[in-house]
Amino acid sequence: MAGNGDPQRGQRMPRSARRAQLLESAQSAFVELGYHAAAMDDIAERAGVSKPVLYQHFPGKLELYLALLDRHCESLVQLVREALSLTSDNKERVYSTVGAYFDFVAQDGAAFRLIFESDLTNESAVRMRLDNVGFTCAEAVADVIAADAGIDDDSAMLLAVSLTGLAQTAARHWLAQGAALPQAQAAKIAGDLAWRGIGGFPRVGESGSGAAG
């Protein structure tokens, strides 16, 4: 198999560029084959480097996988936080948050599979990261709900977990079905459902807006 961006095996590159290249090659292998079937030999071949060069940057396959998880978990959290910070209008926040999950699954390289469809969840370091990204995204949403709706933290967290769970499940289904609907339309449909639910918990002093379109 030819390398995917470094045609001259052993060509010297800045360490940061080489690391990014190796991570890209590892991601393609993990997404295509799964963690257990992907081999370090294959990852090195995809990157167009020798296996010793790969081991200079990552001591093992697990470290490669964890580095990818860290990168993409951070990306998802950032997308959700940006969606929440775009506006103070709660309806727009809901649609933006749902849209963030659609944006994440639509990214090139199918990075979402490492988070939402990992085949290494029995590894404690992986499980910790997956649990943490789900909690962190939900917590960011819950903070907004608790502050605006004046409800207790536990109730706000339950609503937030429900909202983020709906968003990621809908986004994955949309992609798995071949993105038959345009992304914006699919995200709006899921957002409509989310808003009609969360809109029943209005800001303190406001009437409910669960029927809003």
Side-chain angles (χ1 to χ4, degrees):
M1 182 183 302
N4 64 353
D6 187 18
Q8 299 180 20
R9 181 179 293 275
Q11 179 181 347
R12 294 187 63 83
M13 296 175 64
R15 184 172 182 82
S16 60
R18 178 68 78 191
R19 178 182 172 88
Q21 178 206 33
L22 295 174
L23 286 172
E24 180 182 349
S25 298
Q27 180 173 316
S28 70
F30 291 141
V31 167
E32 178 184 339
L33 305 172
Y35 176 83
H36 297 290
M40 293 293 273
D41 286 314
D42 180 44
I43 294 169
E45 185 66 24
R46 289 172 188 246
V49 302
S50 65
K51 197 157 68 168
V53 170
L54 177 57
Y55 279 113
Q56 286 174 9
H57 292 264
F58 299 96
K61 187 166 66 168
L62 178 59
E63 285 74 18
L64 267 169
Y65 196 85
L66 294 177
L68 283 167
L69 273 187
D70 287 340
R71 169 190 285 184
H72 296 307
C73 287
E74 181 179 350
S75 174
L76 176 57
V77 170
Q78 185 64 26
L79 283 171
V80 170
R81 286 177 171 163
E82 287 176 356
L84 292 168
S85 66
L86 286 174
T87 176
S88 59
D89 181 274
N90 281 337
K91 182 176 181 179
E92 291 303 317
R93 278 174 171 162
V94 169
Y95 281 94
S96 294
T97 301
V98 171
Y101 282 84
F102 279 80
D103 288 341
F104 184 68
V105 304
Q107 289 178 351
D108 290 340
F112 77 95
R113 297 190 186 281
L114 300 178
I115 296 177
F116 300 139
E117 301 172 11
S118 175
D119 61 347
L120 197 60
T121 55
N122 61 332
E123 168 62 47
S124 61
V126 172
R127 182 75 266 161
M128 179 185 70
R129 284 164 169 80
L130 299 182
D131 290 344
N132 185 64
V133 69
F135 179 85
T136 301
C137 289
E139 186 178 47
V141 175
D143 287 345
V144 173
I145 294 173
D148 283 356
I151 62 177
D152 64 271
D153 291 343
D154 289 338
S155 297
M157 191 64 176
L158 182 58
L159 288 170
V161 168
S162 301
L163 174 61
T164 55
L166 179 155
Q168 68 103 337
T169 301
R172 288 169 57 203
H173 172 80
W174 165 76
L175 194 66
Q177 296 304 306
L181 295 173
Q183 180 180 336
Q185 182 182 352
K188 183 180 183 305
I189 290 171
D192 286 343
L193 175 60
W195 174 244
R196 281 167 169 78
I198 203 70
F201 297 85
R203 284 181 170 175
V204 175
E206 295 181 359
S207 59
S209 54

